[in-house]
Amino acid sequence: MKTIAFFNNKGGVGKTSLIYHLGFMFAELGKRVLFADLDPQANLSAMCLSEDRLEALWKMQPRQTIYGAVERLKRGVADIVPVAPDAISSRIVLIGGDLQLSEFEDDLSQMWAKCLDRDERAFRVTTSLQRVAYTAAKQHGADIVLLDVGPNFGAINRAALISADYVVVPVAPDLFSMQGLENVGPKLRDWRHGWQERKERAPSTIDFSLPSGSMQSLGYVVSRHSVLSGGAVKAFQRWIDRMPDVYRSSFAEPPAPDNVNVASDPYCLAQLKDYRSLMPLAQEANKPMFLLRPADGAIGGHQGAVRQAYEDFRKLALQILTKIELHEITGN
């Protein structure tokens, strides 16, 4: 089982849609998938579930969401409470998001510091999101856990990211997204170092496994750029051209050779265009863009776009699996 987080501290880069579509594509490839919605905005849950189902999850006692799983730990009366993930398909389940998860931010911030004092409860709180996801993934027999997190460097995201084996950085071709890309690498190194320091101070009384906190970057995905005559429009191209160098600088990799662009950059996992005509149909049909059928309104030219989307996400999913396999073999 491998855990992959998708993270950029700039919002609006297509992160949640990317996770949603990749999850379904991994399922198409025969993998069992767990979505863990660790973003208090709960956008991934909104993509996967109806409003009625979401409301029902939030009204249950205890709440069958990520917040329901940690609420008793937050109150100091128990440890995590496993939640039953919602089945999205035969191979995909979801730990539902919850706006109340934002109330856990202060606890996670305080306990991060207390881990240095060898405080056992601090380790229970800090690892709670990872342990909830791991328990659900084990129950589902998941091959892949996909983490959706918010666009910030807060304590919730830190607790989520230390549970990730791998990180993918979604990037949009604009100034703010590029600044986010610059910020991500140093922050991950800081969190990785901080967690290793804390793991060394873990008390011997802990009766659960601590996450590795490896957070190995697999690369970046360029998303939401318009295409004209087979190429990105000029307004976006200037930012796309800078991505190989910015990524390497952020993640302390050697500078890119002069002839490298995103199309030939081994750190660029994919360039995904803005499938504007398909997204409204996919949202109405409550399914990924690449699984739309004529009955969903994908007729005429839409079918060509559906096939292209399928190939784009299939190629990306296979690229991610190959990168993980290579890292497992070589450690690089």
Side-chain angles (χ1 to χ4, degrees):
M1 178 180 67
K2 299 302 174 187
T3 301
I4 310 171
F6 294 76
F7 184 50
N8 190 328
N9 77 309
K10 166 64 175 68
V13 295
K15 169 180 59 65
T16 301
S17 177
L18 175 61
I19 295 170
Y20 177 81
H21 284 85
L22 268 175
F24 275 87
M25 183 51 70
F26 283 131
E28 287 279 299
L29 295 172
K31 303 296 184 182
R32 296 181 67 80
V33 177
L34 170 71
F35 286 140
D37 191 350
L38 307 183
D39 181 355
Q41 295 300 310
N43 291 323
L44 180 59
S45 300
M47 291 189 75
C48 293
L49 303 173
S50 68
E51 287 188 356
D52 287 344
R53 179 56 184 164
L54 264 178
E55 184 179 19
L57 291 179
W58 293 341
K59 286 187 174 181
M60 289 180 183
Q61 294 298 327
R63 296 162 79 101
Q64 291 299 297
T65 64
I66 185 63
Y67 181 74
V70 301
E71 190 265 341
R72 296 185 71 191
L73 175 62
K74 180 183 184 302
R75 290 194 288 120
V77 298
D79 200 356
I80 61 169
V81 177
V83 295
D86 262 53
I88 307 304
S89 75
S90 60
R91 291 195 177 103
I92 303 173
V93 295
L94 164 78
I95 298 175
D98 196 319
L99 276 67
Q100 279 195 266
L101 184 62
S102 60
E103 297 180 11
F104 201 35
E105 188 92 46
D106 287 346
D107 299 81
L108 288 167
S109 180
Q110 293 167 15
M111 292 302 110
W112 179 256
K114 289 187 177 181
C115 284
L116 293 173
D117 297 329
R118 304 182 187 275
D119 185 298
E120 180 175 330
R121 182 172 184 274
F123 281 92
R124 290 190 180 277
V125 172
T126 300
T127 63
S128 58
L129 301 181
Q130 182 267 343
R131 291 187 291 127
V132 172
Y134 178 82
T135 301
K138 190 174 180 181
Q139 174 188 336
H140 178 57
D143 302 298
I144 297 174
V145 178
L146 301 180
L147 305 181
D148 192 15
V149 298
N152 60 71
F153 290 140
I156 290 175
N157 281 359
R158 181 174 56 204
L161 265 292
I162 63 170
S163 73
D165 300 305
Y166 299 99
V167 177
V168 172
V169 186
V171 189
D174 59 58
L175 170 63
F176 298 100
S177 182
M178 291 292 286
Q179 184 61 58
L181 176 59
E182 288 186 21
N183 296 341
V184 168
K187 182 57 67 175
L188 291 183
R189 289 194 293 276
D190 177 58
W191 287 349
R192 188 184 299 117
H193 174 77
W195 179 238
Q196 295 308 318
E197 184 180 8
R198 284 156 177 78
K199 281 179 67 177
E200 293 172 1
R201 294 171 176 261
S204 59
T205 52
I206 284 181
D207 57 359
F208 53 87
S209 298
L210 297 174
S212 68
S214 57
M215 295 178 275
Q216 174 71 34
S217 177
L218 294 175
Y220 62 96
V221 175
V222 185
S223 61
R224 290 195 169 183
H225 66 277
S226 297
V227 173
L228 183 64
S229 300
V233 297
K234 193 172 182 179
F236 299 131
Q237 191 64 50
R238 60 188 289 248
W239 299 112
I240 292 174
D241 290 343
R242 292 179 55 187
M243 289 179 184
D245 284 323
V246 173
Y247 177 86
R248 283 166 170 77
S249 175
S250 178
F251 286 90
E253 300 287 351
D258 291 340
N259 61 342
V260 167
N261 55 35
V262 290
S264 59
D265 187 3
Y267 296 110
C268 181
L269 301 172
Q271 296 186 71
L272 300 175
K273 67 179 183 179
D274 191 345
Y275 303 96
R276 293 178 182 174
S277 63
L278 298 184
M279 279 304 294
L281 296 176
Q283 290 168 349
E284 180 69 23
N286 194 30
K287 61 171 61 172
M289 295 181 292
F290 54 71
L291 294 182
L292 290 169
R293 299 291 182 261
D296 302 314
I299 58 178
H302 286 308
Q303 276 302 305
V306 167
R307 288 190 294 270
Q308 185 61 58
Y310 189 95
E311 288 306 312
D312 289 345
F313 280 98
R314 184 176 187 274
K315 183 178 179 180
L316 173 55
L318 290 173
Q319 174 83 322
I320 289 173
L321 293 175
T322 299
K323 286 254 188 179
I324 290 174
E325 182 179 0
L326 181 62
H327 181 265
E328 297 296 310
I329 294 172
T330 66
N332 296 313

